[in-house]
Structures are given as C-alpha cells and as structure tokens.
Amino acid sequence: IATDKKIVPVPSLDGLAYNAWCSNHLICPMLDARRGEIYYAFYRFEHRGGLQRITPYRVASPDRVISEIDETVVLLGDGIAMYRDRFVDSLGEKACIAPGHLHYPRASAIGAIAMQRMSDFPDAAVHETIVPLYVRPADAEAK
C-alpha cells in the first residue's frame, strides 16, 4: 500500500488452467468446494497461446460438471483428485487427468498470467480496486 504498487488479480482456477499450457483440448480445473461440490470453469488456449476462460466461474456437484462435458477434456486440481473415479467412469477416454504435480497452482503459471494481463492492460488495478471473488456466499451468509 505504501509503495502504490499495482496488483494484477489472478483467480486460482485461472492459474490451475494455465498448468495445462498449450493443450488442444478443453481444460477444466477444479477445486474442492466442500459439501460434495467443486469450483470449476472451462478454458481453452488460443492459437497465439493465450488462455481463454469460456464459461463463468461456477460451483456444482461433480455429476453436474460431467453433464457439461461432451469432448476430450484435461482435468486437474484437488477436485479431480477427490472425484477421479466418477469422472473416469462417466467420461471414459474423454477424461485426460493431468499429472499430479499439475493439480496445484504454480507460481510460474500465476506469474505468466499476470505478465500477460499487465501487457494487455498497462493500467492494471491498484490495490484499492481488488476485491475477493466469491462463487457462492460464505456459510455464515447462507445461513
């Protein structure tokens, strides 16, 4: 705050998706949302190498996520680690499970996304404009 440095927000799902760098397939990172649900979104890499989120950030049951997949998809994150069998049984050969070391955010992926966003938007957000992204209300708010 004292130095007035710029901050580029990078949601966790974006960082996870970037771990599947240059995949030609649909990419679906998933994070455990508790209560039998997962946070997820779908992504693709553009031909020039940029990561594109093609759906909003969502929270749903694994079965709901499976129902949205009709093509080969790269699955990664702690959500797929928890529900791997369900996805593989339902999707068969369409399910490409990323190696375990890609199931967690990597600083290099977060940094690459941030650098891309800084070059796309040189006047990136300053600390006052950064707010948390909540896909669903917190338990206390829901009750």
Side-chain angles (χ1 to χ4, degrees):
I1 293 174
T3 62
D4 229 12
K5 297 290 183 189
K6 294 181 179 186
I7 296 174
V8 180
V10 178
S12 299
L13 289 172
D14 294 4
L16 278 172
Y18 200 87
N19 286 349
W21 172 248
C22 285
S23 173
N24 292 324
H25 301 297
L26 184 67
I27 301 165
C28 183
M30 298 177 226
L31 295 171
D32 179 22
R34 310 263 192 267
R35 299 186 231 156
E37 295 181 319
I38 48 181
Y39 296 112
Y40 71 104
F42 293 109
Y43 298 79
R44 290 194 188 281
F45 277 98
E46 295 179 331
H47 294 291
R48 56 188 180 102
L51 180 66
Q52 287 294 119
R53 182 171 45 86
I54 58 174
T55 66
Y57 303 107
R58 300 176 180 161
V59 62
S61 69
D63 292 332
R64 170 67 193 262
V65 178
I66 290 167
S67 74
E68 295 180 38
I69 299 171
D70 62 358
E71 62 185 280
T72 300
V73 61
V74 177
L75 302 164
L76 65 161
D78 66 0
I80 192 61
M82 293 180 67
Y83 299 106
R84 177 189 187 103
D85 292 342
R86 190 177 297 177
F87 277 83
V88 170
D89 290 347
S90 297
L91 297 174
E93 292 183 10
K94 289 192 253 179
C96 295
I97 311 298
H101 69 280
L102 298 179
H103 288 238
Y104 302 96
R106 295 180 0 210
S108 59
I110 303 296
I113 293 170
M115 292 298 292
Q116 179 64 47
R117 290 182 181 168
M118 275 297 274
S119 66
D120 290 346
F121 305 101
D123 295 326
V126 183
H127 57 81
E128 293 93 6
T129 62
I130 303 299
V131 295
L133 170 65
Y134 294 108
V135 178
R136 74 170 175 217
D139 288 341
E141 291 176 337
K143 293 177 183 176

